[in-house]
Amino acid sequence: MLTQVANATLRILLFRAGPQDFPYAPSLTRVLVPVAVLINFVLASVTLSPALALLSSAVAVFALAASTRALLRVRQMENRYEQTFHALLATSSVLALAFTVPMMQLMPELMQYAQNPELMQNPETAMKLPTGALMMFDLLLIWNFAVTAHIYRHAAGMRLPLAVMVALVISLAMLMFVGFATSVLGALFGLQPAAGGAGGG
């Protein structure tokens, strides 16, 4: 099964297959969801405290599940939910791992400005990020969006322009929802907002 999952994930990432080619196994949710939460947690930990990063990653996976189900329900193709959700989780997890490469280079600067946002006010201390890391980050961001649109296109039976629009709307809605929900729930539970904030200088 894992070999089939890996093969399908790679083919979808290369746009040579769709979510319909992903192994149908509801039990995969118990594996792919924790993996996605863990990987998102690692990335979110760059600028958020561990507790808030975990909350943010969990909310992101929930939002992905809810938006995917809603889209397929509107298109009356809810029977494709399992494979579509699993394909999204698998491909986004692989690309998120790839994101760690540029993030490791960007992390020192991001951490500095997350802990001292006032530095952005001074042109002399304005953020100067590695060009190569930024380019890689942007390319991965575009690739991730293209794969998401590709998956939605096949799952919901849409033409490419509509799939791109839907992917854009869902991505923006998820971004706002995750940010809002994380802020509200974080404040509700009294979670520290920034990574390393307690040791400020």
Side-chain angles (χ1 to χ4, degrees):
M1 175 62 73
L2 291 180
T3 301
Q4 292 177 315
V5 168
N7 182 58
T9 301
L10 178 60
R11 291 176 63 211
I12 293 172
L13 284 170
L14 296 176
F15 308 102
R16 295 182 178 178
Q20 70 276 7
D21 300 302
F22 207 85
Y24 178 78
S27 60
L28 281 174
T29 300
R30 296 195 296 268
V31 176
L32 294 175
V33 165
V35 168
V37 170
L38 176 61
I39 293 174
N40 279 293
F41 163 75
V42 172
L43 290 177
S45 295
V46 173
T47 55
L48 298 176
S49 65
L52 208 55
L54 180 60
L55 175 61
S56 175
S57 61
V59 170
V61 171
F62 168 78
L64 180 63
S67 59
T68 300
R69 187 179 291 278
L71 170 63
L72 295 177
R73 183 171 294 170
V74 168
R75 300 288 293 183
Q76 298 183 343
M77 296 177 176
E78 202 169 355
N79 60 308
R80 301 181 180 182
Y81 170 74
E82 296 288 350
Q83 287 171 291
T84 304
F85 182 48
H86 291 165
L88 287 166
L89 286 175
T91 53
S92 63
S93 293
V94 171
L95 290 174
L97 279 177
F99 269 112
T100 61
V101 176
M103 287 301 288
M104 288 300 292
Q105 299 179 50
L106 298 173
M107 187 182 298
E109 290 286 348
L110 293 175
M111 287 290 291
Q112 180 180 359
Y113 286 96
Q115 296 175 22
N116 304 287
E118 66 276 5
L119 293 176
M120 292 296 293
Q121 307 299 324
N122 187 347
E124 296 182 359
T125 59
M127 188 180 295
K128 298 177 181 178
L129 300 175
T131 304
L134 278 176
M135 288 183 62
M136 184 177 181
F137 185 91
D138 290 341
L139 288 173
L140 286 171
L141 201 63
I142 294 171
W143 189 8
N144 186 61
F145 176 79
V147 170
T148 300
H150 173 75
I151 290 174
Y152 282 146
R153 175 193 175 198
H154 284 272
M158 299 182 292
R159 293 186 176 182
L160 183 57
L162 179 58
V164 170
M165 289 182 60
V166 168
L168 180 61
V169 170
I170 289 179
S171 297
L172 292 176
M174 282 183 56
L175 184 63
M176 291 187 290
F177 174 77
V178 171
F180 176 76
T182 301
S183 297
V184 171
L185 293 175
L188 183 64
F189 292 108
L191 300 180
Q192 181 180 310

